[in-house]
Every structure is written in C-alpha cells, then in structure tokens.
C-alpha cells in the first residue's frame, strides 16, 4: 500500500519523446457529449476528461489518445489518475470504476464496485496504490487498486467527529503513514500503521474551523486549508497551531494595514499547490467577494516557510473575473504553465498560470492561440492509421462497411506503441 518510490510508470508516449508535449490550449468541444470531469497527472504527463456519454478520453503526447468507457455508459462525475498503481479511477453514479494504464489499453473497465450513494470524491496519492473512499459517517474505507478489492485498512474518525462529513483528504509527502482528513469542523491526522488518529489542527481562541479543501506543498512540510468563510489557513504539519490565518485580499496586498475585510467572502472550493520554475504556485478557486475573480494564482519563492514573511507571495495572477464566475473545477498543467478550468456549462476554458499581473493591467483571460485540433477530438467510429511518423500527425480514413468501434489512440505494449486503432472486420 505504501511505496516509497514510483517505479515503472507506463510511458504512454514512448515514441514521441522528442515531440513537443500535447498542448492543453489546443482544445475543441466534443460534438457528441459535454465534459463532466477532468484530471491530470504530472509524472505521466497525461490528461483525462469524462464525458456525459460515459466515455473517458485520455491524452498524452500528441498523437496519443485513448477512450475508456464506463459500465452502461453512465457519465463519470469524478476522475483521478494513480501513477503508482497505473490506474485511472472515477465515480460513475454510485460505482467506483477502475481502468488500467498497463499494457495494451482497452476501453473496458478493470473493475466496477458499488459505493455509497452520494459519494462525490475519492482520495488518491501518487505514492499509494489505494483509493480512499469517504463514507457519510466520517469513516474512510480503502480500495486496493492493484488487487481490485476492498482493503481491511480504514480510517475511523475521533468520537467527537464520527458524524462529521469528510470534506477533503491530503497525504503527508514526508510520511506516507499519515493522512490529513478535513471534516466539516476539524482537521486531523490518521496513522495507518497504528490505526489511530493523531494531532488535530485548530484555530486560536476556539474560533470555529470549517475547512472545505486541503493542499500540501509538493516539497515542504506545510499545508494550507481553504475554509467555508473564505479564509486561507497555513500550518506546518508537525504543529497544531497555524502559521497564518489570512484571506486572498490580504495576501495580494489589497487591504491596507489594520484594515478589516468588509465584504462577505465565498468559500474556497479548491486548492492546488504545484512546483514552478521559480518556486511554487498555489492556485485557488473561490475566497473572493462581490465581482472579484474566483480564480487566483499565488507565486512563492523556493523557501522552507519557516517565517511569516515567507508566506507572502512574490507575484499574483488574478484571472479575468467575467470568465471565472462559472468555474466548477480546474487542474494545473505544470509543464505547459496552463490551467484547465471546467465550466458549469460543461466546457473547458484554458488560462495561463504564470503571467505576471501588476496594478493597472488587465486581468489575463483565456488563451486564444491557433491550433491543429488533433489532440482533443471526438471518438473515431472506424479508422486505420495511414501515417504515424514523428513529423506528421496520424491521418484516418473511414470505412462505411465496418461495424466495429475504434476507441482511438495509441496504446503501449511490451514491444512499444501499438498503432492499431481498432480491430477491423
């Protein structure tokens, strides 16, 4: 369950190492369905998106493209990529669905297991081979993605929190035995080996803490929680008292000294802390008020975050408010310095993540660059590869008398990429 190193990741772009990585700004709408979920994994450089017709599209370096299908073509509303187990996992209605990234990719799911109705998210980690499933009573059960079965290991909350809803999960990157659990009213640490809960994280003076989301720094022993009332709370994972309780407005310098936040803030819905060329970037959805932008990126220098001044961002990107009001989810594409945002109308809008914004400049909007749309395309009903060189994207011809369905894309096998898109009769 706990692996110190990620070994043997599937190389879904085996023959395309010298090619430019697929560009997430090369996007076109799917003509047959709308996007319902998105996920990205930095170590594999693959992006997946679920559609309302039950398909899950996987993209690697161009022209790698594969389509998974959920059982009974039920729409997938949540997706995660687990590189350690070489799996893609998702939630389709009340089922946990698992697809394989090993060998020749197939459309059919490896496993489909019933989970409690109302489960909206799964916890995963790049270092674990399990999925963590929160139950309504605060218990978190584990699903073994290698053996494709429920594991006896589970998280049992403290008695005082046994009925609290689990809001989010995060793993301590420095101690794989520890899991951070955010409930409606608290944050606590669970120890898998000893099967007990450890320290809890609270606000000073018994101020209520209602965390919504968590994010761990990718290298340092610091994590941040976003709260229901729009605050950001930074902790060192070894200490129960917070390093800083603040708001986005205070972090970006919009509040003068001793000035109090007057407007009501919306909750912080999601946090993503990733490495960047100059240090790290924290992307935040929510935590603003009025007509302010719902999407903010804070850039931090390379630091250990031992003092308060090290938590002050060196640069800030405040994205165009008019284009951020309907964002329901996002993923950060670190290599391309892009943010893929899933809108409430089931479309994807792409933003730059590291464009410096100074006072007086317009907020950055979505990227509008010319493209050849061979990365994001609809399902291929029937096709055959005519050309697949390092210089020319694959071209397809259609056969009217072919009844088999091609799932599209290149799949890895023991001998390298398999260029057959379908089994033609």
């Amino acid at each position: 369950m706990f692996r110190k190193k990620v070994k043997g990741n599937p190389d879904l772009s085996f023959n395309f190492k010298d090619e430019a990585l697929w560009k997430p700004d090369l996007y076109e709408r799917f003509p047959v369905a709308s996007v319902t979920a998105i996920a990205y994994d930095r170590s594999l450089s693959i992006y997946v998106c679920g559609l309302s017709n039950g398909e899950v599209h996987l993209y690697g370096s161009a022209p790698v493209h594969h389509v998974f299908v959920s059982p009974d073509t039920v729409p997938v509303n949540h997706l995660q990529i687990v590189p350690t187990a070489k799996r893609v996992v998702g939630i389709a209605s009340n089922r946990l669905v698992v697809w394989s990234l090993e060998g020749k990719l197939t459309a059919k799911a490896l496993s489909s297991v019933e989970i409690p109705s109302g489960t909206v998210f799964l916890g995963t980690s790049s270092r674990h081979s399990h999925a963590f499933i929160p139950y309504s009573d605060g218990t978190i059960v584990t699903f073994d993605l290698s053996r494709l079965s429920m594991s006896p290991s589970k998280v049992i909350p403290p008695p005082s929190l046994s009925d609290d809803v689990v809001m989010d999960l995060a793993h301590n990157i420095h101690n794989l035995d520890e899991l951070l659990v955010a409930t409606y009213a608290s944050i606590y640490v669970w120890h898998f080996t000893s099967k007990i809960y450890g320290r809890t994280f609270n606000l000073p003076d018994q101020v209520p803490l209602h965390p919504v989301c968590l994010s761990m720094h990718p290298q340092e022993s610091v994590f941040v929680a976003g709260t229901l009332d729009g605050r950001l709370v930074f902790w060192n994972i070894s200490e129960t008292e917070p390093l800083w309780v603040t708001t986005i407005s205070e972090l970006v310098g919009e509040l003068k000294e001793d000035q109090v936040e007057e407007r009501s803030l919306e909750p912080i819905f999601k946090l993503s802390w990733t490495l960047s060329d100059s240090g790290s970037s924290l992307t935040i959805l929510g935590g603003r008020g009025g007509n302010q932008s719902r999407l903010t990126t804070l850039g931090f220098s390379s630091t250990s975050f031992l003092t308060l001044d090290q938590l002050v961002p060196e640069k800030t990107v405040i994205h165009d408010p008019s284009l951020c009001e309907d964002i329901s989810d996002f993923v950060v594409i670190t290599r391309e310095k892009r943010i893929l945002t899933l809108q409430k109308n089931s479309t994807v809008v792409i933003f730059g993540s590291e464009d410096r914004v100074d006072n007086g400049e317009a907020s950055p909007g979505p990227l509008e660059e010319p493209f050849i749309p061979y990365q994001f395309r609809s399902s291929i009903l029937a096709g055959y590869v005519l050309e697949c060189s390092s210089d020319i994207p694959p071209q397809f011809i259609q056969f009217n008398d072919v009844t088999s369905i091609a799932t599209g894309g290149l799949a890895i096998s023991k001998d390298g990429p398999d260029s057959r898109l379908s089994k033609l009769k």
Side-chain angles (χ1 to χ4, degrees):
M1 178 177 178
F2 307 108
R3 303 180 182 181
K4 293 184 179 180
K5 295 183 179 180
V6 179
K7 295 182 179 180
N9 287 334
D11 190 348
L12 302 179
S13 308
F14 182 78
N15 271 359
F16 306 98
K17 290 183 179 298
D18 295 331
E19 292 292 301
L21 289 175
W22 64 269
K23 292 180 170 53
D25 46 316
L26 311 187
Y27 175 77
E28 65 175 350
R29 289 193 61 180
F30 291 91
V32 294
S34 56
V35 181
T36 56
I38 55 177
Y40 171 76
D41 182 75
R42 180 176 60 88
S43 63
L44 299 181
S45 290
I46 57 174
Y47 160 74
V48 293
C49 61
L51 303 184
S52 58
N53 62 359
E55 295 177 349
V56 176
H57 288 242
L58 177 149
Y59 300 93
S61 298
V64 173
H65 175 207
H66 182 77
V67 181
F68 301 112
V69 179
S70 70
D72 302 322
T73 63
V74 176
V76 177
N77 296 316
H78 179 79
L79 283 169
Q80 296 281 358
I81 303 169
V82 188
T84 308
K86 304 179 182 70
R87 300 285 190 261
V88 174
V89 296
I91 297 176
S93 185
N94 64 330
R95 303 195 71 83
L96 168 68
V97 186
V98 183
W99 296 273
S100 176
L101 293 175
E102 294 183 288
K104 173 123 173 85
L105 302 186
T106 60
K108 186 178 179 180
L110 276 180
S111 176
S112 176
V113 179
E114 186 173 354
I115 57 178
S117 178
T119 304
V120 295
F121 80 98
L122 305 168
T124 61
S125 166
S126 60
R127 306 293 182 90
H128 294 85
S129 58
H130 284 60
F132 302 85
I133 309 168
Y135 280 22
S136 58
D137 62 355
T139 301
I140 302 168
V141 301
T142 56
F143 183 85
D144 191 324
L145 294 171
S146 299
R147 297 178 177 86
L148 301 176
S149 62
M150 288 294 182
S151 170
S153 178
K154 64 180 180 180
V155 177
I156 302 175
S160 60
L161 303 174
S162 60
D163 295 326
D164 271 4
V165 175
V166 176
M167 303 298 291
D168 202 3
L169 304 170
H171 292 84
N172 183 354
I173 61 171
H174 301 289
N175 185 351
L176 299 183
D177 186 49
E178 292 186 350
L179 176 70
L180 280 169
V181 181
T183 70
Y184 177 74
S186 180
I187 301 173
Y188 68 92
V189 173
W190 177 260
H191 299 276
F192 285 100
T193 302
S194 56
K195 299 180 181 179
I196 60 174
Y197 64 90
R199 57 195 174 278
T200 59
F201 300 90
N202 302 298
L203 294 181
D205 302 322
Q206 297 183 337
V207 175
L209 171 65
H210 296 297
V212 176
C213 52
L214 300 172
S215 187
M216 185 85 190
H217 190 282
Q219 287 184 337
E220 304 298 335
S221 300
V222 176
F223 74 93
V224 59
T227 69
L228 189 65
D229 57 4
R231 290 179 294 175
L232 291 167
V233 189
F234 293 86
W235 274 279
N236 185 301
I237 198 166
S238 61
E239 301 173 0
T240 58
E241 292 294 319
L243 296 171
W244 197 8
V245 182
T246 184
T247 64
I248 297 176
S249 296
E250 183 178 6
L251 276 173
V252 303
E254 292 178 349
L255 294 179
K256 297 179 181 179
E257 189 175 354
D258 298 328
Q259 184 179 357
V260 179
E261 190 92 43
E262 295 181 356
R263 65 176 67 89
S264 60
L265 303 178
E266 66 174 348
I268 293 180
F269 299 103
K270 184 173 181 178
L271 297 164
S272 179
W273 212 337
T274 56
L275 294 178
S276 64
D277 295 339
S278 58
S280 63
S281 296
L282 178 62
T283 304
I284 306 164
L285 178 60
R288 305 286 270 172
N291 296 321
Q292 293 179 308
S293 175
R294 302 185 73 211
L295 188 66
T296 308
T297 301
L298 306 177
F300 298 93
S301 61
S302 298
T303 177
S304 56
F305 297 99
L306 296 177
T307 60
L308 189 62
D309 62 324
Q310 293 174 335
L311 288 170
V312 178
E314 287 193 337
K315 64 178 181 180
T316 303
V317 179
I318 302 174
H319 300 276
D320 191 334
S322 64
L323 299 166
C324 299
E325 58 184 1
D326 292 325
I327 296 175
S328 60
D329 196 7
F330 71 88
V331 291
V332 178
I333 314 295
T334 50
R335 294 189 183 184
E336 293 285 344
K337 299 179 182 178
R338 299 287 188 264
I339 302 172
L340 270 64
T341 63
L342 178 60
Q343 306 285 317
K344 292 180 180 178
N345 64 357
S346 298
T347 61
V348 173
V349 176
I350 299 104
F351 293 85
S353 63
E354 292 193 2
D355 301 304
R356 179 89 184 233
V357 179
D358 295 319
N359 292 332
E361 289 189 4
S363 300
L367 302 173
E368 297 179 357
E369 300 178 6
F371 65 92
I372 302 174
Y374 61 80
Q375 281 89 351
F376 294 85
R377 58 181 184 266
S378 60
S379 301
I380 304 161
L381 296 180
Y384 182 74
V385 174
L386 291 180
E387 191 72 46
C388 189
S389 69
S390 60
D391 299 321
I392 305 175
Q395 300 169 340
F396 303 96
I397 59 175
Q398 302 293 329
F399 294 88
N400 295 326
D401 58 345
V402 175
T403 58
S404 61
I405 302 298
T407 53
L410 301 178
I412 192 74
S413 68
K414 293 181 179 179
D415 300 321
D418 188 341
S419 60
R420 292 171 298 178
L421 295 185
S422 63
K423 295 181 179 179
L424 303 178
K425 292 186 177 180

